[in-house]
């Protein structure tokens, strides 16, 4: 169980397990979150350079919230603890993602998100398109051709693939790369 105590700009998150308490302090400034570890985890924190990992690969490596209780949008009394369940994005199995196109499932069903991101990152044009926040319908003809070439190169689709299948795979790639 986690207790969150808000004190001005700082948020203390305490995890209680029996008689021991491990805690971290977080400072939120806009979209930036700084974590300051308490002394009992300071040695671990000092030996792992988290900041350089996050700065070096902001999209490729991150934690995502996969569950929340109470659910988002539910009004609760002030002081109600909110439990968040985080998962390391890279370790999510593609096979458990719902509503994926059959072509993506055939290619990646036994892989982790990291494999898809590595494949995308190997092609700078595909990476730029997926980072642009454009829907498939908003891509130019040249970008659509580039995406078609990418999905053929990665053997997700064959050269005979129609526009609908390319669009479906693009939506899946966009979701995986940006969630």
């Amino acid at each position: 169980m986690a207790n969150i105590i808000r004190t001005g700009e700082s948020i203390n998150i305490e995890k209680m397990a029996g008689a021991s308490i491990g805690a971290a302090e977080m400072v939120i400034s806009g979209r930036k979150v700084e974590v300051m570890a308490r002394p009992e985890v300071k040695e671990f924190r000092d030996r792992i350079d988290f900041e350089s990992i996050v700065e070096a690969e902001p999209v490729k490596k991150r934690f995502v919230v996969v569950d929340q209780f109470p659910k988002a949008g539910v009004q609760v009394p002030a002081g109600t603890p909110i439990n968040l369940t985080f998962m390391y994005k890279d370790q999510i199995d593609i096979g458990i993602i719902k509503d994926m196109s059959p072509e993506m499932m055939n290619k990646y069903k036994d892989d982790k998100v990291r494999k898809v991101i590595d494949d995308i990152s190997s092609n700078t044009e595909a990476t730029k398109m997926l980072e642009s926040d454009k829907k498939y319908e908003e891509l130019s003809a040249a970008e659509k051709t580039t995406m078609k070439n990418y999905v053929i190169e990665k053997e997700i689709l064959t050269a005979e693939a129609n526009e609908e299948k390319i669009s479906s795979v693009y939506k899946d790639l966009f979701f995986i790369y940006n969630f």
Side-chain angles (χ1 to χ4, degrees):
M1 181 173 145
N3 294 327
I4 300 176
I5 304 140
R6 294 183 183 273
T7 56
E9 286 291 309
S10 294
I11 298 174
N12 295 337
I13 300 177
E14 298 183 358
K15 183 175 184 208
M16 296 182 207
S20 65
I21 295 177
E25 294 179 11
M26 295 173 58
V27 177
I28 300 174
S29 170
R31 293 180 65 109
K32 184 178 180 187
V33 177
E34 293 181 32
V35 177
M36 294 155 291
R38 288 228 177 125
E40 60 267 17
V41 293
K42 184 176 179 346
E43 181 181 348
F44 177 78
R45 174 89 172 134
D46 289 345
R47 295 186 71 173
I48 306 293
D49 188 7
F50 294 106
E51 286 80 12
S52 67
I53 292 169
V54 172
E55 287 175 19
E57 300 185 67
V59 173
K60 295 178 191 176
K61 292 187 177 212
R62 65 177 172 201
F63 288 91
V64 292
V65 176
V66 294
D67 194 21
Q68 172 183 334
F69 182 81
K71 296 292 182 195
V74 174
Q75 276 199 323
V76 295
T80 300
I82 306 294
N83 295 319
L84 301 174
T85 303
F86 292 87
M87 188 171 206
Y88 188 50
K89 178 181 175 178
D90 288 356
Q91 297 304 313
I92 296 173
D93 291 319
I94 296 296
I96 67 168
I97 299 175
K98 295 179 183 175
D99 300 326
M100 294 287 282
S101 63
E103 296 80 14
M104 284 290 288
M105 286 308 259
N106 288 339
K107 172 71 175 173
Y108 293 110
K109 71 178 177 208
D110 296 326
D111 292 319
K112 308 265 186 221
V113 165
R114 181 62 188 197
K115 169 77 168 111
V116 178
I117 290 181
D118 286 344
D119 283 355
I120 294 167
S121 298
S122 71
N123 185 307
T124 56
E125 292 300 314
T127 303
K128 277 195 264 183
M129 277 186 277
L130 295 169
E131 288 176 346
S132 73
D133 210 23
K134 289 183 184 177
K135 294 181 180 173
Y136 184 78
E137 297 77 28
E138 298 169 344
L139 297 176
S140 68
E143 288 173 322
K144 287 180 179 180
T145 301
T146 301
M147 183 51 60
K148 181 176 182 176
N149 292 337
Y150 169 77
V151 296
I152 292 168
E153 170 197 332
K154 294 300 178 184
E155 299 176 348
I156 300 170
L157 294 172
T158 62
E160 298 82 36
N162 61 26
E163 190 86 6
E164 183 181 330
K165 287 189 180 210
I166 298 167
S167 173
S168 179
V169 169
Y170 177 84
K171 288 175 188 171
D172 293 341
L173 292 170
F174 184 85
F175 172 76
I176 291 168
Y177 191 76
N178 291 297
F179 78 88

